[in-house]
């Protein structure tokens, strides 16, 4: 009995010592990760100033001249080699530092949304009535990514890691999907892994696929006439437009729950007493995969011909652009998750929580304030819903690791004034800095661990299989100055 007791005690002691040893090993700091966190903290003031500049510029898709200039100038001042106007897009650019492999890329967006201008207050109050605003937090997006790239640049410059860091200034995510033309131009062909993040009301690894999407425009051409004295001489494109949208809306009963169809009537005639001879509509179709998207897209396109026949008018369908769903990389996401857990949640002041609750009150949401926790890594759903992004197209040509970081209160309506307000003050600034730290820490893992890079690439190849990427993008240059603006 005595020997048994002694053995049990010894076993428990050894187990306890092994657990302490494991905890010590787990808690052992990585000096390079500490360095990149310190780098972001050191630059916090300049990054915040840059973010606030972009917030104030209020520039929409392909018109982000000041925003692109501010970001690329900042990168150049830090010592990056900057190439402007890539992929035939004046506001797209690449900033690079270092040489050789691995090449780790990071994406940065900076376009605003029309009509969402807003002051930095927790109630609706336009700063410049009718102007755009950063209702998706992209003023934070590009700056945080550049801050992460700068932290890695510091390590390459000091000789502590080897390789290349490359920041991509990617315009027009909200409307035309500028990354499509950047992918087409081959700008990602030599990259090993790409990092990405997006402002959110949660902090977590982004492991859902989102929706594939396609945008197209339908134009109807008819014959004008006096709407009262001789309407029989008119062939109304307004009729065609109404017949077309009626067809789309009846079709909704017969599509899968994963499908979304939206449209925006851009031109339905000018005055009530003229039979319109021209009308135009922008149509968007989404589904959880490109395979599911294509037949719905083609069916909705075909309806335009039926509407034109019934109204006795001519028609034209033009592809604008479209995006793939995201090819999720869980190997890379697991590495990111560990860094989120190391960083821990964002801390907020009472004033910030009060601001958040007032936004929630103004938008009819539960007044719970900012949720400060690190969400566990989710399973990737077969049919994940939500929005769409041209990051999906990047993810089909290079492995992509993605993050969501809290920049607005829980329950905040996205693409709204409430996000604009949060993105221009300390709540957004804290999320921006957090994202820069988490992204740069994960990039340290990639630079330090070639086996991790190979594992990330191996998962990418396995999931992509024999699919040959082809973007939903028309021939010719990007629609910088088209009538789509």
């Amino acid at each position: 009995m005595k020997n048994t007791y002694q053995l049990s005690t010894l076993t428990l002691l050894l187990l306890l010592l092994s657990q302490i040893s494991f905890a010590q090993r787990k808690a052992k700091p990585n000096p390079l990760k500490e360095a990149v966190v310190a780098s972001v903290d050191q630059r916090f003031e300049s990054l915040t100033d840059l973010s606030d500049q972009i917030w104030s510029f209020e520039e929409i898709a392909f018109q982000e001249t000041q925003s692109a200039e501010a970001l690329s100038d900042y990168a150049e001042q830090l010592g990056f080699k900057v190439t402007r106007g890539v992929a035939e897009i004046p506001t797209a650019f690449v900033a690079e530092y270092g040489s050789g492999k691995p090449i780790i890329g990071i994406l940065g967006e900076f376009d605003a949304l029309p009509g969402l201008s807003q002051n930095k207050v927790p109630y609706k109050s336009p700063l410049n009535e009718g102007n755009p605003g950063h209702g998706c937090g992209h003023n934070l997006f590009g700056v945080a990514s550049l801050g992460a790239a700068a932290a890695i640049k510091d390590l390459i410059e000091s000789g502590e890691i080897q390789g290349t860091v490359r920041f991509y200034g990617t315009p027009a995510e909200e409307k035309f999907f500028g990354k499509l033309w950047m992918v087409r131009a081959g700008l990602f062909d030599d990259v090993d892994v790409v990092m990405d993040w997006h402002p959110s009301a949660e902090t977590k690894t982004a492991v859902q696929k989102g929706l594939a999407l396609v945008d197209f425009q339908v134009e109807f051409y008819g014959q004008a006439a006096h709407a009262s004295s001789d309407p029989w001489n008119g062939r109304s494109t307004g009729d065609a437009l109404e017949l077309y949208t009626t067809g789309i809306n009846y079709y909704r009963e017969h599509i899968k729950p994963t499908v979304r169809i939206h449209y925006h009537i851009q031109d339905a005639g000018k005055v009530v007493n003229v039979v319109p001879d021209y009308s135009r509509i922008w149509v968007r179709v989404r589904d959880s995969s490109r395979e599911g998207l294509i037949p719905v897209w083609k069916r909705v396109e075909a309806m335009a011909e039926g509407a034109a026949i019934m109204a006795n008018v001519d028609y034209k369908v033009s592809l604008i652009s479209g995006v793939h769903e995201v090819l999720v990389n869980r190997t890379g996401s697991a590495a990111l998750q560990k860094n989120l857990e190391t960083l821990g949640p964002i801390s907020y002041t009472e004033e910030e929580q009060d601001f958040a609750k007032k936004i929630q009150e103004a938008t009819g949401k539960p007044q719970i304030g900012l949720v400060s926790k690190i969400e566990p890594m989710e399973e990737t759903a077969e049919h994940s819903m939500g929005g769409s992004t041209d990051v999906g197209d990047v993810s089909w040509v290079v492995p992509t690791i993605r993050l969501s970081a809290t920049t607005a209160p829980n329950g905040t309506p996205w693409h709204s004034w409430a996000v604009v307000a949060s993105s221009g003050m300390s709540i957004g600034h804290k999320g921006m800095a957090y994202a820069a730290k988490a992204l740069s820490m994960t990039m340290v893992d990639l630079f330090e661990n070639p086996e991790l890079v190979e594992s990330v690439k191996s998962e990418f190849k396995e999931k992509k299989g024999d699919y040959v990427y082809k973007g939903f993008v028309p021939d010719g240059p990007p629609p910088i100055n088209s009538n789509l603006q």
Side-chain angles (χ1 to χ4, degrees), residues 184 290 357 397 484:
R184 190 178 72 176
R290 63 190 181 283
K357 289 174 183 178
V397 296
L484 300 172

Side-chain angles (χ1 to χ4, degrees), residues 379-397:
E379 291 300 317
T380 303
E382 180 182 359
H383 297 291
S384 54
M385 300 306 292
S388 309
T389 173
D390 55 4
V391 176
D393 286 67
V394 176
S395 75
W396 284 90
V397 296

